[in-house]
Amino acid sequence: MAHITGTKINYFFVCKRKLWLFANQIEMEQESDLVAQGKLIGETAYPEKRHELAIDGVMVIDFADLQSGVIHEIKKSDKMEEAHLWQVKYYLWYLKSKGVEGLTGELDYPKLKRRETVALTHEDEERLKGIVTEIEAIEQLDAPPPKLEKKFCKNCAYFELCWA
Ligand code: SF4
């Protein structure tokens, strides 16, 4: 499952079309101001703790508190919380598959002064297996899934590609 990245899990919940575009190497996310803003929030909110951990090209953990066994994911807004939640659950599952067990996750929303603990249950692991299968099927489609027509499209890196 190393080809399934945390970003793909996130996009699976946000927009299947976005997932397809990303998976088919149409990468425009680096141009998104919102992504840059999100990174800046992470860097300024926790400057003393911030040590990004890149693992297997699958994930970039914003920072990890190894003493308490917590991995942190920093987000700007909680509007896509389900996507954030499953992204962190996937990290926990992937790390468990590599023999790193007993971790928990935390979603940090510094702008909202809110934190959410993320645990991985047996049911989550079963659901993640299904999600991985669904992502693989979406990636193989010959054409991208339909557009969503959601308000958040205007903040998406693929907005012009979808709507211009
Ligand atoms: S602009 Fe909207 S429809 Fe297009 S990829 Fe982004 S979220 Fe999906």
Side-chain angles (χ1 to χ4, degrees):
M1 67 193 178
H3 61 293
I4 303 294
T5 62
T7 301
K8 288 182 183 176
I9 298 283
N10 186 307
Y11 290 176
F12 175 83
F13 285 94
V14 171
C15 172
K16 309 280 189 287
R17 181 179 174 89
K18 185 171 184 171
L19 168 63
W20 187 94
L21 291 167
F22 178 76
N24 285 276
Q25 274 82 50
I26 302 166
E27 296 187 34
M28 301 170 78
E29 192 74 354
Q30 66 275 14
E31 291 171 19
S32 162
D33 284 353
L34 285 175
V35 169
Q37 270 182 40
K39 291 211 166 89
L40 188 65
I41 285 168
E43 279 158 17
T44 50
Y46 304 99
E48 75 292 352
K49 292 182 184 174
R50 192 172 167 80
H51 298 288
E52 275 190 358
L53 278 179
I55 298 173
D56 292 353
V58 167
M59 66 186 82
V60 180
I61 295 171
D62 285 328
F63 67 91
D65 181 344
L66 297 177
Q67 261 188 340
S68 55
V70 181
I71 59 171
H72 292 258
E73 180 70 18
I74 304 164
K75 298 293 188 190
K76 176 172 163 280
S77 136
D78 60 3
K79 282 189 189 137
M80 302 291 183
E81 187 152 15
E82 189 185 23
H84 304 160
L85 192 70
W86 283 100
Q87 186 180 343
V88 176
K89 283 181 186 286
Y90 181 68
Y91 290 172
L92 295 172
W93 187 48
Y94 184 86
L95 290 167
K96 186 178 171 187
S97 80
K98 296 282 174 185
V100 186
E101 296 201 41
L103 298 177
T104 54
E106 193 167 283
L107 277 172
D108 297 333
Y109 298 103
K111 275 188 94 174
L112 307 174
K113 299 193 181 347
R114 193 163 89 71
R115 290 182 172 169
E116 202 64 50
T117 300
V118 184
L120 180 73
T121 66
H122 178 68
E123 290 73 28
D124 294 335
E125 292 185 41
E126 290 305 308
R127 173 119 197 251
L128 280 163
K129 280 182 204 164
I131 289 168
V132 166
T133 304
E134 281 188 66
I135 289 176
E136 287 168 345
I138 291 166
E139 286 178 347
Q140 299 304 317
L141 293 172
D142 290 336
K147 297 176 221 176
L148 274 187
E149 296 203 54
K150 293 279 186 186
K151 264 194 193 168
F152 58 73
C153 281
K154 68 178 189 311
N155 295 326
C156 174
Y158 296 111
F159 178 75
E160 288 202 14
L161 197 144
C162 289
W163 299 105

